[in-house]
Each structure stands twice: as structure tokens, then as C-alpha cells.
Amino acid sequence: RKEVEQDPGPFNVPEGATVAFNCTYSNSASQSFFWYRQDCRKEPKLLMSVYSSGNEDGRFTAQLNRASQYISLLIRDSKLSDSATYLCVVGSTGGGNKLTFGTGTQLKVEL
Amino acid sequence: NAGVMQNPRHLVRRRGQEARLRCSPMKGHSHVYWYRQLPEEGLKFMVYLQKENIIDESGMPKERFSAEFPKEGPSILRIQQVVRGDSAAYFCASSPRQGANTEAFFGQGTRLTVV
């Protein structure tokens, strides 16, 4: 079983749609959780951290369920510029801040 | 404040040659991580270093790969006797400290092509 698993994708959605990404992780000792965005052939960039209480940043909402070891990202009113690969990332601090990445879900927002 | 700087951006090596990838972390960051991304795959952790120390190298292949982060200068990922399977994007990330919810900032990566 992979340490971090995501929907395989790709997701093709029309502009303005709401899209949800799901992720599960296997290490119950994980302490930090993030969503990163990666554009084609570019470096990953932090989209948002994910907290147990849930957090929102504009059109983006992230949720964490520690009991189920489940993380989600919701994008509302999607824009063409949201097209990218979304990476679920889990951090552990045993000996550092090692980040484990999911393989990512590709999103294509279309006119 | 410049971001994480990696060079070269693109590197072509023939099979059997050595590849040296350099990473200068953000100013004030003493924690460096190297990741590899094979075509159509996710990022895989390779190694975590602090100044002059390797903290976690659990993702490093046992042979041909080494990493260092000297007291002065950039972190270096060295691949000896490269093979075609080493072709990938190698990303370096840095953070100011360890601990939960510490963001890691990524460089633009070095794309290694072995011919």
C-alpha cells in the first residue's frame, strides 16, 4: 500500500465547476498535511496547509480527518488557471520534516 | 530574498559519466531535502541534510548516489556512473527548521537526461 494515495484522475471540468480531491495516508504518526500544486514541468508549490479544524483560503477548502486518515481539497468556481496537478503531501517529523508525496491528481479546467 | 536555487536547470550526461546537481537553499534555511521525480510519477524522497550532516538518507539508492551539504556552499547531489534509468527531474527543497507544519520551498529542479 502506498503511503499517500490519491484519486488517479485526470479530472476534466468546465469553468465554474466545483471539484473535490481526496487523499488517504497510511502512517498514523504523520503530523503535518499539505496540498501542493505542480504545473507541467515546474516545481511543486504550496497551495495550503491542512489543519484538523479545516481551513479555507478563498475558493479553496481543505479538510483533515485524523481518525480516518483522510484529507480533502475542494475547489469552488474553478478557473482555467486552476489547471495543474494537485499533490497531497504528508509530513513526519521523526528525524526531520520528511514530506511524502502522493502521485498527484491532474485537473483540467475547460471553457 | 532569492528562492531555492538549483543548477544546472538541464543536464545531459552519457552513460557512465558523473552528474553533479547543486542546490542553494533560501537564505536562513539550514534544512535541505532532495526529491526525484521520474516521468509520469510522483516525487520520491531521497535524502534530508542539515549543515555538514546527513539526517535521513532512507530514499537514496544504495550505490552510485551521494549527497552532501557542507558548512560553506551549496548542497550537492552526486550520481556516479549514470544509467538511463537515472533520467528524471531532481528537486531540492529547503526549510528554516524542522517540525510540524513547516513549509518546504522547492527549487525549479534539475532535469537530468542520460543518453
Side-chain angles (χ1 to χ4, degrees):
Chain A
R1 182 187 173 189
K2 292 181 181 176
E3 288 187 63
V4 179
E5 295 209 59
Q6 295 185 241
D7 290 339
F11 291 178
N12 298 318
V13 303
E15 203 174 14
T18 295
V19 59
F21 300 113
N22 303 311
C23 170
T24 56
Y25 60 96
S26 61
N27 183 357
S28 59
S30 299
Q31 297 186 8
S32 53
F33 310 91
F34 309 91
W35 283 100
Y36 275 73
R37 168 189 170 137
Q38 186 175 28
D39 292 280
C40 186
R41 301 184 68 79
K42 297 285 184 66
E43 75 275 22
K45 292 185 178 178
L46 179 68
L47 181 63
M48 57 198 307
S49 300
V50 189
Y51 304 111
S52 297
S53 55
N55 47 301
E56 186 175 310
D57 182 3
R59 298 182 293 109
F60 300 84
T61 301
Q63 297 277 356
L64 167 65
N65 185 321
R66 283 186 182 267
S68 303
Q69 295 180 202
Y70 170 86
I71 309 163
S72 66
L73 174 69
L74 188 75
I75 305 177
R76 292 181 298 279
D77 188 24
S78 53
K79 313 289 184 192
L80 293 175
S81 58
D82 294 333
S83 298
T85 297
Y86 289 82
L87 305 169
C88 177
V89 183
V90 173
S92 60
T93 54
N97 191 28
K98 174 182 166 182
L99 299 177
T100 302
F101 285 76
T103 52
T105 304
Q106 187 178 13
L107 171 67
K108 293 183 181 178
V109 182
E110 302 164 331
L111 287 171
Chain B
N1 187 7
V4 178
M5 303 300 292
Q6 289 188 248
N7 67 83
R9 292 285 307 279
H10 300 275
L11 182 61
V12 179
R13 283 287 177 267
R14 296 186 185 278
R15 281 178 293 171
Q17 290 184 320
E18 178 179 287
R20 279 184 181 244
L21 288 62
R22 285 175 288 277
C23 169
S24 295
M26 287 181 71
K27 186 177 180 181
H29 288 196
S30 58
H31 302 252
V32 166
Y33 311 82
W34 284 94
Y35 289 80
R36 175 166 65 175
Q37 187 171 32
L38 295 168
E40 308 303 325
E41 293 190 15
L43 279 82
K44 302 290 186 194
F45 169 81
M46 299 183 75
V47 62
Y48 161 49
L49 311 104
Q50 291 182 32
K51 282 287 187 182
E52 300 185 275
N53 290 303
I54 296 174
I55 307 302
D56 181 347
E57 56 181 347
S58 57
M60 288 280 270
K62 294 288 185 273
E63 297 177 347
R64 303 187 298 108
F65 284 72
S66 62
E68 63 177 7
F69 188 16
K71 187 176 180 181
E72 302 290 338
S75 176
I76 306 287
L77 179 67
R78 182 183 177 204
I79 311 172
Q80 295 178 289
Q81 299 174 330
V82 296
V83 301
R84 287 229 170 98
D86 297 333
S87 296
Y90 292 82
F91 289 99
C92 169
S94 74
S95 65
R97 59 189 178 279
Q98 67 180 62
N101 294 316
T102 301
E103 178 184 353
F105 296 82
F106 282 81
Q108 292 181 302
T110 293
R111 299 194 180 275
L112 172 65
T113 302
V114 180
V115 297

PDB file of all heavy atoms in Angstrom, chain A residues 66-105:
ATOM      1  N   ARG A  66      -8.280  12.893  10.996  1.00  0.00           N
ATOM      2  CA  ARG A  66      -7.183  12.064  11.510  1.00  0.00           C
ATOM      3  C   ARG A  66      -7.648  10.638  11.804  1.00  0.00           C
ATOM      4  O   ARG A  66      -6.909   9.682  11.605  1.00  0.00           O
ATOM      5  CB  ARG A  66      -6.597  12.665  12.767  1.00  0.00           C
ATOM      6  CG  ARG A  66      -5.673  13.859  12.507  1.00  0.00           C
ATOM      7  CD  ARG A  66      -5.024  14.307  13.801  1.00  0.00           C
ATOM      8  NE  ARG A  66      -4.166  15.455  13.632  1.00  0.00           N
ATOM      9  CZ  ARG A  66      -2.855  15.362  13.402  1.00  0.00           C
ATOM     10  NH1 ARG A  66      -2.270  14.182  13.299  1.00  0.00           N
ATOM     11  NH2 ARG A  66      -2.123  16.446  13.272  1.00  0.00           N
ATOM     12  N   ALA A  67      -8.874  10.495  12.271  1.00  0.00           N
ATOM     13  CA  ALA A  67      -9.368   9.158  12.612  1.00  0.00           C
ATOM     14  C   ALA A  67      -9.434   8.269  11.380  1.00  0.00           C
ATOM     15  O   ALA A  67      -9.093   7.083  11.427  1.00  0.00           O
ATOM     16  CB  ALA A  67     -10.742   9.268  13.259  1.00  0.00           C
ATOM     17  N   SER A  68      -9.853   8.848  10.265  1.00  0.00           N
ATOM     18  CA  SER A  68      -9.964   8.094   9.009  1.00  0.00           C
ATOM     19  C   SER A  68      -8.695   8.192   8.173  1.00  0.00           C
ATOM     20  O   SER A  68      -8.602   7.538   7.128  1.00  0.00           O
ATOM     21  CB  SER A  68     -11.144   8.612   8.177  1.00  0.00           C
ATOM     22  OG  SER A  68     -12.336   8.541   8.904  1.00  0.00           O
ATOM     23  N   GLN A  69      -7.758   9.053   8.601  1.00  0.00           N
ATOM     24  CA  GLN A  69      -6.518   9.281   7.864  1.00  0.00           C
ATOM     25  C   GLN A  69      -6.849   9.699   6.437  1.00  0.00           C
ATOM     26  O   GLN A  69      -6.376   9.120   5.449  1.00  0.00           O
ATOM     27  CB  GLN A  69      -5.621   8.034   7.928  1.00  0.00           C
ATOM     28  CG  GLN A  69      -5.160   7.747   9.347  1.00  0.00           C
ATOM     29  CD  GLN A  69      -4.273   6.527   9.504  1.00  0.00           C
ATOM     30  OE1 GLN A  69      -4.172   5.979  10.584  1.00  0.00           O
ATOM     31  NE2 GLN A  69      -3.639   6.084   8.456  1.00  0.00           N
ATOM     32  N   TYR A  70      -7.653  10.736   6.380  1.00  0.00           N
ATOM     33  CA  TYR A  70      -8.225  11.187   5.110  1.00  0.00           C
ATOM     34  C   TYR A  70      -8.072  12.699   5.004  1.00  0.00           C
ATOM     35  O   TYR A  70      -8.280  13.436   5.964  1.00  0.00           O
ATOM     36  CB  TYR A  70      -9.702  10.782   5.097  1.00  0.00           C
ATOM     37  CG  TYR A  70     -10.541  11.348   3.994  1.00  0.00           C
ATOM     38  CD1 TYR A  70     -10.614  10.718   2.750  1.00  0.00           C
ATOM     39  CD2 TYR A  70     -11.294  12.498   4.200  1.00  0.00           C
ATOM     40  CE1 TYR A  70     -11.416  11.227   1.752  1.00  0.00           C
ATOM     41  CE2 TYR A  70     -12.100  13.008   3.199  1.00  0.00           C
ATOM     42  CZ  TYR A  70     -12.142  12.373   1.978  1.00  0.00           C
ATOM     43  OH  TYR A  70     -12.943  12.877   0.987  1.00  0.00           O
ATOM     44  N   ILE A  71      -7.686  13.160   3.815  1.00  0.00           N
ATOM     45  CA  ILE A  71      -7.503  14.587   3.553  1.00  0.00           C
ATOM     46  C   ILE A  71      -8.279  14.930   2.288  1.00  0.00           C
ATOM     47  O   ILE A  71      -8.320  14.122   1.358  1.00  0.00           O
ATOM     48  CB  ILE A  71      -6.011  14.914   3.332  1.00  0.00           C
ATOM     49  CG1 ILE A  71      -5.148  14.354   4.457  1.00  0.00           C
ATOM     50  CG2 ILE A  71      -5.797  16.418   3.206  1.00  0.00           C
ATOM     51  CD1 ILE A  71      -3.672  14.297   4.096  1.00  0.00           C
ATOM     52  N   SER A  72      -8.866  16.111   2.272  1.00  0.00           N
ATOM     53  CA  SER A  72      -9.601  16.509   1.068  1.00  0.00           C
ATOM     54  C   SER A  72      -9.273  17.948   0.701  1.00  0.00           C
ATOM     55  O   SER A  72      -8.826  18.738   1.528  1.00  0.00           O
ATOM     56  CB  SER A  72     -11.106  16.352   1.284  1.00  0.00           C
ATOM     57  OG  SER A  72     -11.560  17.270   2.258  1.00  0.00           O
ATOM     58  N   LEU A  73      -9.500  18.259  -0.559  1.00  0.00           N
ATOM     59  CA  LEU A  73      -9.367  19.618  -1.067  1.00  0.00           C
ATOM     60  C   LEU A  73     -10.548  19.892  -1.969  1.00  0.00           C
ATOM     61  O   LEU A  73     -10.843  19.105  -2.866  1.00  0.00           O
ATOM     62  CB  LEU A  73      -8.063  19.781  -1.858  1.00  0.00           C
ATOM     63  CG  LEU A  73      -7.880  21.133  -2.561  1.00  0.00           C
ATOM     64  CD1 LEU A  73      -7.676  22.239  -1.524  1.00  0.00           C
ATOM     65  CD2 LEU A  73      -6.693  21.090  -3.520  1.00  0.00           C
ATOM     66  N   LEU A  74     -11.217  20.998  -1.722  1.00  0.00           N
ATOM     67  CA  LEU A  74     -12.368  21.399  -2.525  1.00  0.00           C
ATOM     68  C   LEU A  74     -12.032  22.715  -3.218  1.00  0.00           C
ATOM     69  O   LEU A  74     -11.575  23.662  -2.567  1.00  0.00           O
ATOM     70  CB  LEU A  74     -13.595  21.568  -1.627  1.00  0.00           C
ATOM     71  CG  LEU A  74     -14.927  21.802  -2.332  1.00  0.00           C
ATOM     72  CD1 LEU A  74     -15.417  20.487  -2.944  1.00  0.00           C
ATOM     73  CD2 LEU A  74     -15.963  22.335  -1.343  1.00  0.00           C
ATOM     74  N   ILE A  75     -12.245  22.759  -4.506  1.00  0.00           N
ATOM     75  CA  ILE A  75     -12.059  23.998  -5.262  1.00  0.00           C
ATOM     76  C   ILE A  75     -13.419  24.423  -5.807  1.00  0.00           C
ATOM     77  O   ILE A  75     -14.059  23.680  -6.556  1.00  0.00           O
ATOM     78  CB  ILE A  75     -11.075  23.820  -6.434  1.00  0.00           C
ATOM     79  CG1 ILE A  75      -9.736  23.275  -5.953  1.00  0.00           C
ATOM     80  CG2 ILE A  75     -10.870  25.146  -7.166  1.00  0.00           C
ATOM     81  CD1 ILE A  75      -8.727  22.990  -7.070  1.00  0.00           C
ATOM     82  N   ARG A  76     -13.847  25.587  -5.411  1.00  0.00           N
ATOM     83  CA  ARG A  76     -15.123  26.114  -5.905  1.00  0.00           C
ATOM     84  C   ARG A  76     -14.880  27.087  -7.053  1.00  0.00           C
ATOM     85  O   ARG A  76     -13.821  27.717  -7.137  1.00  0.00           O
ATOM     86  CB  ARG A  76     -15.858  26.842  -4.778  1.00  0.00           C
ATOM     87  CG  ARG A  76     -16.362  25.934  -3.663  1.00  0.00           C
ATOM     88  CD  ARG A  76     -17.106  26.768  -2.590  1.00  0.00           C
ATOM     89  NE  ARG A  76     -16.207  27.744  -1.980  1.00  0.00           N
ATOM     90  CZ  ARG A  76     -15.347  27.463  -1.007  1.00  0.00           C
ATOM     91  NH1 ARG A  76     -15.272  26.228  -0.537  1.00  0.00           N
ATOM     92  NH2 ARG A  76     -14.575  28.398  -0.510  1.00  0.00           N
ATOM     93  N   ASP A  77     -15.883  27.226  -7.920  1.00  0.00           N
ATOM     94  CA  ASP A  77     -15.823  28.198  -9.016  1.00  0.00           C
ATOM     95  C   ASP A  77     -14.477  28.094  -9.749  1.00  0.00           C
ATOM     96  O   ASP A  77     -13.723  29.065  -9.847  1.00  0.00           O
ATOM     97  CB  ASP A  77     -16.020  29.609  -8.451  1.00  0.00           C
ATOM     98  CG  ASP A  77     -16.162  30.659  -9.534  1.00  0.00           C
ATOM     99  OD1 ASP A  77     -16.559  30.300 -10.664  1.00  0.00           O
ATOM    100  OD2 ASP A  77     -15.870  31.840  -9.266  1.00  0.00           O
ATOM    101  N   SER A  78     -14.186  26.908 -10.231  1.00  0.00           N
ATOM    102  CA  SER A  78     -12.869  26.661 -10.810  1.00  0.00           C
ATOM    103  C   SER A  78     -12.583  27.570 -12.014  1.00  0.00           C
ATOM    104  O   SER A  78     -13.480  27.930 -12.780  1.00  0.00           O
ATOM    105  CB  SER A  78     -12.744  25.191 -11.214  1.00  0.00           C
ATOM    106  OG  SER A  78     -13.817  24.805 -12.039  1.00  0.00           O
ATOM    107  N   LYS A  79     -11.326  27.940 -12.119  1.00  0.00           N
ATOM    108  CA  LYS A  79     -10.839  28.821 -13.184  1.00  0.00           C
ATOM    109  C   LYS A  79      -9.926  28.033 -14.115  1.00  0.00           C
ATOM    110  O   LYS A  79      -9.355  27.013 -13.721  1.00  0.00           O
ATOM    111  CB  LYS A  79     -10.045  29.997 -12.602  1.00  0.00           C
ATOM    112  CG  LYS A  79     -10.695  30.715 -11.441  1.00  0.00           C
ATOM    113  CD  LYS A  79     -11.877  31.512 -11.874  1.00  0.00           C
ATOM    114  CE  LYS A  79     -12.461  32.314 -10.695  1.00  0.00           C
ATOM    115  NZ  LYS A  79     -13.783  32.885 -11.049  1.00  0.00           N
ATOM    116  N   LEU A  80      -9.745  28.558 -15.310  1.00  0.00           N
ATOM    117  CA  LEU A  80      -8.817  27.928 -16.247  1.00  0.00           C
ATOM    118  C   LEU A  80      -7.430  27.820 -15.631  1.00  0.00           C
ATOM    119  O   LEU A  80      -6.720  26.831 -15.826  1.00  0.00           O
ATOM    120  CB  LEU A  80      -8.742  28.722 -17.556  1.00  0.00           C
ATOM    121  CG  LEU A  80      -9.993  28.748 -18.412  1.00  0.00           C
ATOM    122  CD1 LEU A  80      -9.793  29.681 -19.604  1.00  0.00           C
ATOM    123  CD2 LEU A  80     -10.360  27.355 -18.899  1.00  0.00           C
ATOM    124  N   SER A  81      -7.057  28.831 -14.863  1.00  0.00           N
ATOM    125  CA  SER A  81      -5.728  28.871 -14.257  1.00  0.00           C
ATOM    126  C   SER A  81      -5.553  27.850 -13.134  1.00  0.00           C
ATOM    127  O   SER A  81      -4.434  27.668 -12.635  1.00  0.00           O
ATOM    128  CB  SER A  81      -5.436  30.267 -13.713  1.00  0.00           C
ATOM    129  OG  SER A  81      -6.432  30.637 -12.765  1.00  0.00           O
ATOM    130  N   ASP A  82      -6.629  27.197 -12.730  1.00  0.00           N
ATOM    131  CA  ASP A  82      -6.518  26.137 -11.721  1.00  0.00           C
ATOM    132  C   ASP A  82      -6.001  24.832 -12.328  1.00  0.00           C
ATOM    133  O   ASP A  82      -5.677  23.893 -11.596  1.00  0.00           O
ATOM    134  CB  ASP A  82      -7.871  25.863 -11.064  1.00  0.00           C
ATOM    135  CG  ASP A  82      -8.379  27.030 -10.230  1.00  0.00           C
ATOM    136  OD1 ASP A  82      -7.545  27.802  -9.728  1.00  0.00           O
ATOM    137  OD2 ASP A  82      -9.615  27.167 -10.104  1.00  0.00           O
ATOM    138  N   SER A  83      -5.932  24.761 -13.634  1.00  0.00           N
ATOM    139  CA  SER A  83      -5.448  23.546 -14.298  1.00  0.00           C
ATOM    140  C   SER A  83      -4.012  23.270 -13.870  1.00  0.00           C
ATOM    141  O   SER A  83      -3.125  24.105 -14.053  1.00  0.00           O
ATOM    142  CB  SER A  83      -5.522  23.696 -15.817  1.00  0.00           C
ATOM    143  OG  SER A  83      -6.861  23.876 -16.241  1.00  0.00           O
ATOM    144  N   ALA A  84      -3.810  22.105 -13.292  1.00  0.00           N
ATOM    145  CA  ALA A  84      -2.498  21.732 -12.745  1.00  0.00           C
ATOM    146  C   ALA A  84      -2.635  20.332 -12.157  1.00  0.00           C
ATOM    147  O   ALA A  84      -3.710  19.728 -12.202  1.00  0.00           O
ATOM    148  CB  ALA A  84      -2.055  22.712 -11.661  1.00  0.00           C
ATOM    149  N   THR A  85      -1.551  19.834 -11.591  1.00  0.00           N
ATOM    150  CA  THR A  85      -1.604  18.590 -10.833  1.00  0.00           C
ATOM    151  C   THR A  85      -1.582  18.931  -9.351  1.00  0.00           C
ATOM    152  O   THR A  85      -0.751  19.732  -8.902  1.00  0.00           O
ATOM    153  CB  THR A  85      -0.424  17.676 -11.184  1.00  0.00           C
ATOM    154  OG1 THR A  85      -0.522  17.312 -12.560  1.00  0.00           O
ATOM    155  CG2 THR A  85      -0.442  16.413 -10.339  1.00  0.00           C
ATOM    156  N   TYR A  86      -2.497  18.359  -8.596  1.00  0.00           N
ATOM    157  CA  TYR A  86      -2.624  18.647  -7.176  1.00  0.00           C
ATOM    158  C   TYR A  86      -2.057  17.475  -6.380  1.00  0.00           C
ATOM    159  O   TYR A  86      -2.461  16.329  -6.551  1.00  0.00           O
ATOM    160  CB  TYR A  86      -4.078  18.936  -6.817  1.00  0.00           C
ATOM    161  CG  TYR A  86      -4.499  20.274  -7.394  1.00  0.00           C
ATOM    162  CD1 TYR A  86      -4.897  20.376  -8.720  1.00  0.00           C
ATOM    163  CD2 TYR A  86      -4.418  21.437  -6.639  1.00  0.00           C
ATOM    164  CE1 TYR A  86      -5.225  21.598  -9.281  1.00  0.00           C
ATOM    165  CE2 TYR A  86      -4.743  22.667  -7.179  1.00  0.00           C
ATOM    166  CZ  TYR A  86      -5.137  22.734  -8.510  1.00  0.00           C
ATOM    167  OH  TYR A  86      -5.446  23.961  -9.069  1.00  0.00           O
ATOM    168  N   LEU A  87      -1.103  17.812  -5.525  1.00  0.00           N
ATOM    169  CA  LEU A  87      -0.355  16.793  -4.792  1.00  0.00           C
ATOM    170  C   LEU A  87      -0.742  16.817  -3.318  1.00  0.00           C
ATOM    171  O   LEU A  87      -0.659  17.857  -2.660  1.00  0.00           O
ATOM    172  CB  LEU A  87       1.147  17.075  -4.906  1.00  0.00           C
ATOM    173  CG  LEU A  87       1.701  17.193  -6.330  1.00  0.00           C
ATOM    174  CD1 LEU A  87       3.120  17.745  -6.300  1.00  0.00           C
ATOM    175  CD2 LEU A  87       1.695  15.830  -6.997  1.00  0.00           C
ATOM    176  N   CYS A  88      -1.142  15.678  -2.822  1.00  0.00           N
ATOM    177  CA  CYS A  88      -1.406  15.517  -1.398  1.00  0.00           C
ATOM    178  C   CYS A  88      -0.076  15.166  -0.734  1.00  0.00           C
ATOM    179  O   CYS A  88       0.639  14.267  -1.201  1.00  0.00           O
ATOM    180  CB  CYS A  88      -2.420  14.394  -1.215  1.00  0.00           C
ATOM    181  SG  CYS A  88      -2.807  13.987   0.489  1.00  0.00           S
ATOM    182  N   VAL A  89       0.265  15.871   0.319  1.00  0.00           N
ATOM    183  CA  VAL A  89       1.583  15.708   0.932  1.00  0.00           C
ATOM    184  C   VAL A  89       1.445  15.551   2.440  1.00  0.00           C
ATOM    185  O   VAL A  89       0.735  16.318   3.088  1.00  0.00           O
ATOM    186  CB  VAL A  89       2.478  16.933   0.613  1.00  0.00           C
ATOM    187  CG1 VAL A  89       3.871  16.734   1.180  1.00  0.00           C
ATOM    188  CG2 VAL A  89       2.527  17.179  -0.890  1.00  0.00           C
ATOM    189  N   VAL A  90       2.155  14.577   2.964  1.00  0.00           N
ATOM    190  CA  VAL A  90       2.085  14.289   4.395  1.00  0.00           C
ATOM    191  C   VAL A  90       3.491  14.386   4.969  1.00  0.00           C
ATOM    192  O   VAL A  90       4.449  13.879   4.378  1.00  0.00           O
ATOM    193  CB  VAL A  90       1.507  12.874   4.612  1.00  0.00           C
ATOM    194  CG1 VAL A  90       1.577  12.476   6.068  1.00  0.00           C
ATOM    195  CG2 VAL A  90       0.073  12.823   4.104  1.00  0.00           C
ATOM    196  N   GLY A  91       3.603  15.041   6.105  1.00  0.00           N
ATOM    197  CA  GLY A  91       4.905  15.220   6.714  1.00  0.00           C
ATOM    198  C   GLY A  91       5.031  14.463   8.010  1.00  0.00           C
ATOM    199  O   GLY A  91       4.067  14.333   8.774  1.00  0.00           O
ATOM    200  N   SER A  92       6.230  13.955   8.253  1.00  0.00           N
ATOM    201  CA  SER A  92       6.531  13.295   9.521  1.00  0.00           C
ATOM    202  C   SER A  92       7.781  13.944  10.074  1.00  0.00           C
ATOM    203  O   SER A  92       8.639  14.401   9.315  1.00  0.00           O
ATOM    204  CB  SER A  92       6.752  11.797   9.324  1.00  0.00           C
ATOM    205  OG  SER A  92       7.831  11.563   8.446  1.00  0.00           O
ATOM    206  N   THR A  93       7.871  14.006  11.362  1.00  0.00           N
ATOM    207  CA  THR A  93       8.990  14.730  11.951  1.00  0.00           C
ATOM    208  C   THR A  93       9.959  13.803  12.667  1.00  0.00           C
ATOM    209  O   THR A  93      10.826  14.263  13.373  1.00  0.00           O
ATOM    210  CB  THR A  93       8.505  15.787  12.939  1.00  0.00           C
ATOM    211  OG1 THR A  93       7.651  15.164  13.899  1.00  0.00           O
ATOM    212  CG2 THR A  93       7.743  16.868  12.223  1.00  0.00           C
ATOM    213  N   GLY A  94       9.837  12.524  12.451  1.00  0.00           N
ATOM    214  CA  GLY A  94      10.820  11.620  13.015  1.00  0.00           C
ATOM    215  C   GLY A  94      12.141  11.810  12.307  1.00  0.00           C
ATOM    216  O   GLY A  94      12.345  11.284  11.227  1.00  0.00           O
ATOM    217  N   GLY A  95      13.032  12.639  12.886  1.00  0.00           N
ATOM    218  CA  GLY A  95      14.307  12.870  12.219  1.00  0.00           C
ATOM    219  C   GLY A  95      14.233  13.919  11.131  1.00  0.00           C
ATOM    220  O   GLY A  95      14.944  13.845  10.140  1.00  0.00           O
ATOM    221  N   GLY A  96      13.360  14.885  11.289  1.00  0.00           N
ATOM    222  CA  GLY A  96      13.329  15.938  10.270  1.00  0.00           C
ATOM    223  C   GLY A  96      11.921  16.291   9.890  1.00  0.00           C
ATOM    224  O   GLY A  96      10.984  16.089  10.641  1.00  0.00           O
ATOM    225  N   ASN A  97      11.745  16.824   8.737  1.00  0.00           N
ATOM    226  CA  ASN A  97      10.415  17.170   8.242  1.00  0.00           C
ATOM    227  C   ASN A  97      10.239  16.522   6.882  1.00  0.00           C
ATOM    228  O   ASN A  97      10.023  17.173   5.879  1.00  0.00           O
ATOM    229  CB  ASN A  97      10.269  18.684   8.148  1.00  0.00           C
ATOM    230  CG  ASN A  97       8.825  19.078   7.905  1.00  0.00           C
ATOM    231  OD1 ASN A  97       7.905  18.374   8.293  1.00  0.00           O
ATOM    232  ND2 ASN A  97       8.626  20.186   7.227  1.00  0.00           N
ATOM    233  N   LYS A  98      10.359  15.226   6.849  1.00  0.00           N
ATOM    234  CA  LYS A  98      10.300  14.481   5.603  1.00  0.00           C
ATOM    235  C   LYS A  98       8.893  14.539   5.040  1.00  0.00           C
ATOM    236  O   LYS A  98       7.931  14.212   5.734  1.00  0.00           O
ATOM    237  CB  LYS A  98      10.713  13.036   5.874  1.00  0.00           C
ATOM    238  CG  LYS A  98      10.573  12.088   4.709  1.00  0.00           C
ATOM    239  CD  LYS A  98      10.977  10.699   5.155  1.00  0.00           C
ATOM    240  CE  LYS A  98      10.558   9.646   4.164  1.00  0.00           C
ATOM    241  NZ  LYS A  98      10.917   8.295   4.651  1.00  0.00           N
ATOM    242  N   LEU A  99       8.775  14.971   3.812  1.00  0.00           N
ATOM    243  CA  LEU A  99       7.493  15.060   3.138  1.00  0.00           C
ATOM    244  C   LEU A  99       7.316  13.861   2.224  1.00  0.00           C
ATOM    245  O   LEU A  99       8.204  13.532   1.448  1.00  0.00           O
ATOM    246  CB  LEU A  99       7.415  16.342   2.314  1.00  0.00           C
ATOM    247  CG  LEU A  99       7.534  17.659   3.074  1.00  0.00           C
ATOM    248  CD1 LEU A  99       7.513  18.823   2.100  1.00  0.00           C
ATOM    249  CD2 LEU A  99       6.421  17.791   4.096  1.00  0.00           C
ATOM    250  N   THR A 100       6.172  13.226   2.320  1.00  0.00           N
ATOM    251  CA  THR A 100       5.827  12.117   1.432  1.00  0.00           C
ATOM    252  C   THR A 100       4.719  12.582   0.508  1.00  0.00           C
ATOM    253  O   THR A 100       3.668  13.045   0.972  1.00  0.00           O
ATOM    254  CB  THR A 100       5.387  10.886   2.233  1.00  0.00           C
ATOM    255  OG1 THR A 100       6.440  10.513   3.126  1.00  0.00           O
ATOM    256  CG2 THR A 100       5.094   9.726   1.302  1.00  0.00           C
ATOM    257  N   PHE A 101       4.943  12.448  -0.776  1.00  0.00           N
ATOM    258  CA  PHE A 101       4.018  12.963  -1.776  1.00  0.00           C
ATOM    259  C   PHE A 101       3.145  11.856  -2.343  1.00  0.00           C
ATOM    260  O   PHE A 101       3.616  10.746  -2.606  1.00  0.00           O
ATOM    261  CB  PHE A 101       4.799  13.580  -2.946  1.00  0.00           C
ATOM    262  CG  PHE A 101       5.396  14.916  -2.650  1.00  0.00           C
ATOM    263  CD1 PHE A 101       6.538  15.021  -1.873  1.00  0.00           C
ATOM    264  CD2 PHE A 101       4.836  16.068  -3.165  1.00  0.00           C
ATOM    265  CE1 PHE A 101       7.094  16.257  -1.598  1.00  0.00           C
ATOM    266  CE2 PHE A 101       5.388  17.307  -2.904  1.00  0.00           C
ATOM    267  CZ  PHE A 101       6.516  17.406  -2.118  1.00  0.00           C
ATOM    268  N   GLY A 102       1.888  12.193  -2.575  1.00  0.00           N
ATOM    269  CA  GLY A 102       1.070  11.343  -3.410  1.00  0.00           C
ATOM    270  C   GLY A 102       1.477  11.548  -4.865  1.00  0.00           C
ATOM    271  O   GLY A 102       2.242  12.456  -5.182  1.00  0.00           O
ATOM    272  N   THR A 103       0.969  10.691  -5.739  1.00  0.00           N
ATOM    273  CA  THR A 103       1.351  10.787  -7.149  1.00  0.00           C
ATOM    274  C   THR A 103       0.638  11.938  -7.861  1.00  0.00           C
ATOM    275  O   THR A 103       0.997  12.280  -8.972  1.00  0.00           O
ATOM    276  CB  THR A 103       1.070   9.484  -7.891  1.00  0.00           C
ATOM    277  OG1 THR A 103      -0.290   9.106  -7.657  1.00  0.00           O
ATOM    278  CG2 THR A 103       1.987   8.377  -7.403  1.00  0.00           C
ATOM    279  N   GLY A 104      -0.357  12.523  -7.187  1.00  0.00           N
ATOM    280  CA  GLY A 104      -0.991  13.699  -7.762  1.00  0.00           C
ATOM    281  C   GLY A 104      -2.225  13.382  -8.586  1.00  0.00           C
ATOM    282  O   GLY A 104      -2.361  12.279  -9.138  1.00  0.00           O
ATOM    283  N   THR A 105      -3.115  14.341  -8.651  1.00  0.00           N
ATOM    284  CA  THR A 105      -4.311  14.243  -9.489  1.00  0.00           C
ATOM    285  C   THR A 105      -4.296  15.419 -10.441  1.00  0.00           C
ATOM    286  O   THR A 105      -4.205  16.573 -10.014  1.00  0.00           O
ATOM    287  CB  THR A 105      -5.601  14.286  -8.653  1.00  0.00           C
ATOM    288  OG1 THR A 105      -5.564  13.246  -7.680  1.00  0.00           O
ATOM    289  CG2 THR A 105      -6.823  14.109  -9.546  1.00  0.00           C
TER     290      THR A 105
END
